Amino acid sequence: MSDAAVRPADLSDAAEIARIQRDTWHAAYADLLGKNALAELDAADLVGTWSETIDHPASQVYVATEGESTVGFCVAGRAPEGEVAAADGSLPADADRTGLIATLLVEPRWGRRGHAGRLLATAAAGLRAAGAARGITWVAQGDHASLAFYRRAGWNPDGTVRTLDTGDRMVREVRLTGTLDFTLA
C-alpha cells in the first residue's frame, strides 16, 4: 500500500469529495436509497455544496489519501440539538459537548485498508479539541458494513431512530454513540 494519510480538506478537494460521494452512493447505496435519490444527487451542484461545507466555520472536513489519490472523506462538527435530542425532544446533559460525524465515506474500491478508521480517529481528535466528550452518528439500518465499522470502534445504538424519505422508499436510521477517546491502528 502507498502512503496513507488523513488531512483537513481545502476548497481544492470539493470536486473530488463530490465524485467520491456520487460514486460511492451509486456503488454501495443504490438499493437502499432508490433511483430518485441518486438522480437528485446527480443533478445537484455537489461541488458547490462541498465548497460551502469545507468553508463553513463549524464544519471539520477531512480527506483520506493513499499516494496521490483521495479515497474518502469525513465531515464532523458540534452536534445540533435536533441531532442529539431524544425522541421526545429532551436534550441529554452533555448535549453541548457532543460531536456529530455527519458523513464518513470511503470509496468501495479503497475499502478494507484502514482509511475509515483513520478518518474517524482524526475527526474524533478534532472534536475533542473543540470540547466534545462523545460522538454520535446516524447510519441506515440496512447499511451493515457501516454499522459493523462503528461497532468495532466501540460505538453502539442508543435506542433513537429516525426515518428519511428518499422519494422511492423510507430509510430507517439508527443513532450510534461512542467515545471520542480512541485511536485506531
Side-chain angles (χ1 to χ4, degrees):
M1 176 168 43
S2 301
D3 289 335
V6 173
R7 63 171 173 76
D10 61 43
L11 292 175
S12 69
D13 293 309
E16 193 62 5
I17 291 171
R19 183 199 62 76
I20 290 168
Q21 180 185 13
R22 192 172 28 258
D23 290 355
T24 300
W25 281 26
H26 278 277
Y29 300 117
D31 292 339
L32 186 66
L33 298 173
K35 292 178 185 176
N36 287 335
L38 295 177
E40 197 171 299
L41 179 70
D42 290 338
D45 178 16
L46 287 180
V47 175
T49 299
W50 281 111
S51 293
E52 290 174 15
T53 302
I54 292 166
D55 213 25
H56 193 278
S59 295
Q60 300 172 8
V61 182
Y62 303 96
V63 292
T65 60
E66 186 171 322
E68 298 296 315
S69 300
T70 300
V71 300
F73 65 93
C74 180
V75 180
R78 183 172 175 267
E81 286 185 358
E83 299 286 330
V84 74
D88 66 3
S90 64
L91 292 173
D94 69 348
D96 63 337
R97 295 182 329 275
T98 302
L100 172 69
I101 302 296
T103 304
L104 194 159
L105 285 177
V106 173
E107 203 173 352
R109 66 189 175 115
W110 295 98
R112 304 264 183 223
R113 297 167 79 119
H115 298 298
R118 282 186 289 279
L119 282 165
L120 182 59
T122 302
L127 290 170
R128 283 192 318 269
R134 75 176 173 103
I136 61 170
T137 194
W138 293 90
V139 177
Q141 192 170 17
D143 184 355
H144 303 294
S146 294
L147 288 169
F149 165 74
Y150 281 107
R151 285 190 172 131
R152 284 190 306 274
W155 289 33
N156 292 295
D158 68 4
T160 305
V161 298
R162 68 182 180 189
T163 304
L164 304 176
D165 185 353
T166 70
D168 286 323
R169 58 187 52 100
M170 303 301 278
V171 176
R172 182 180 165 114
E173 290 186 317
V174 297
R175 186 172 64 195
L176 305 172
T177 187
T179 182
L180 296 173
D181 294 324
F182 64 90
T183 306
L184 298 177

